[in-house]
Amino acid sequence: MCRVDLCLTPARGPLILVEVLPAGSLLTQLLAQGALEVWVAPGPKVARLLAQELGQGVLLLGEVEGFPPEGFHGRLSLVDLESTPVAGKKAILVAPLLNASLLHGEEEVYVAGFRNAKAVLEALRGLKGLVLRPSGAPEPLLSAVVAAGFLQKRLSPDGPTTLATALLKAFPDPQEALFQSPEGQALHKEGRTEELARASLIGVDPVVPRLAGVRFFPKAEFGLTQDRYAQRFVAWNG
């Protein structure tokens, strides 16, 4: 049995953060293409601070209104990433929603979307007390809620109908769910509909990102408006 957390309440057991767009699918694709680790940062400033600590060869990915910030290597694009050499590298993603969807003290954390759904189901099906949390909770992204329902239905096939699983009836096609979501519409307006096709592929990334560490950035020490955290994820094989 597993439940979907739409309210951002602390998880007492294993937690699956669900995000398809904008950065969750990119995280799994990076690890599937051989990245050593992927850091999730709340914004460009923390990403740059982290890159300085990690040293040379770090791949910085993020975007503001469809363009990478100054000094970054690329935007959040699954299409662009396919031709980017990442094997053996460390990467940093600016992903504020995904970053803020993890609460302090939660340690057994995995990231899931459509692209790595098969690997997640195979690796985590036997875990007890699983919690699925769509990115953005307590105002979760529509695409993330649909993906959470997709996973919940398969992890607990005999469980009662929930809001997340009920949405599957409205969006039986993952690509249509992404297209109709506000985050998908934002990509569509930029002429990036191919990103939606890539993000809706099921089971193409055979990795499960697992939280492997958290870096704390105190506001007083680093000149930030508030204390910030960056999370480190690595590929986990169960």
Side-chain angles (χ1 to χ4, degrees):
M1 188 69 180
C2 66
R3 68 177 180 88
V4 175
D5 171 29
L6 300 177
C7 301
L8 199 62
T9 54
R12 297 181 179 179
L15 172 66
I16 303 177
L17 288 183
V18 183
E19 184 177 282
V20 183
L21 301 170
S25 299
L26 208 69
L27 197 165
T28 61
Q29 187 179 357
L30 280 163
L31 293 175
Q33 290 183 201
L36 291 178
E37 60 186 30
V38 180
W39 288 82
V40 174
K45 185 169 184 178
V46 170
R48 292 188 183 101
L49 290 170
L50 188 57
Q52 291 175 4
E53 293 185 2
L54 295 177
Q56 297 294 322
V58 177
L59 187 66
L60 272 169
L61 299 175
E63 62 181 69
V64 178
E65 297 182 352
F67 297 94
E70 183 179 356
F72 276 54
H73 301 99
R75 59 184 181 174
L76 301 177
S77 170
L78 294 165
V79 176
D80 294 349
L81 185 59
E82 289 177 352
S83 58
T84 302
V86 301
K89 292 185 177 181
K90 299 177 181 179
I92 302 173
L93 291 178
V94 173
L97 283 179
L98 189 60
N99 178 272
S101 295
L102 179 64
L103 297 175
H104 180 65
E106 293 175 330
E107 297 180 350
E108 188 176 358
V109 181
Y110 310 89
V111 175
F114 289 122
R115 290 183 61 95
N116 72 333
K118 182 178 178 180
V120 168
L121 293 172
E122 290 177 350
L124 304 182
R125 193 183 299 274
L127 293 184
K128 303 296 183 181
L130 270 175
V131 175
L132 294 158
R133 179 182 296 153
S135 179
E139 297 180 2
L141 298 172
L142 174 61
S143 58
V145 176
V146 173
F150 178 88
L151 293 167
Q152 186 184 32
K153 189 68 174 178
R154 285 152 182 80
L155 288 167
S156 302
D158 299 323
T161 299
T162 66
L163 173 62
T165 57
L167 274 175
L168 293 177
K169 296 181 180 179
F171 297 108
D173 178 2
Q175 190 167 341
E176 180 64 20
L178 300 189
F179 183 81
Q180 294 293 343
S181 69
E183 50 276 18
Q185 283 294 299
L187 287 172
H188 174 63
K189 290 177 181 179
E190 296 173 7
R192 299 168 62 185
T193 53
E194 190 59 31
E195 299 288 341
L196 306 181
R198 297 290 201 282
S200 67
L201 295 175
I202 296 176
V204 295
D205 292 335
V207 296
V208 180
R210 179 169 180 171
L211 182 69
V214 177
R215 171 71 167 92
F216 176 49
F217 291 88
K219 62 179 181 179
E221 181 179 348
F222 293 97
L224 303 170
T225 56
Q226 64 184 75
D227 293 341
R228 298 291 188 183
Y229 296 86
Q231 298 112 3
R232 172 177 171 260
F233 289 90
V234 298
W236 181 73
N237 59 12

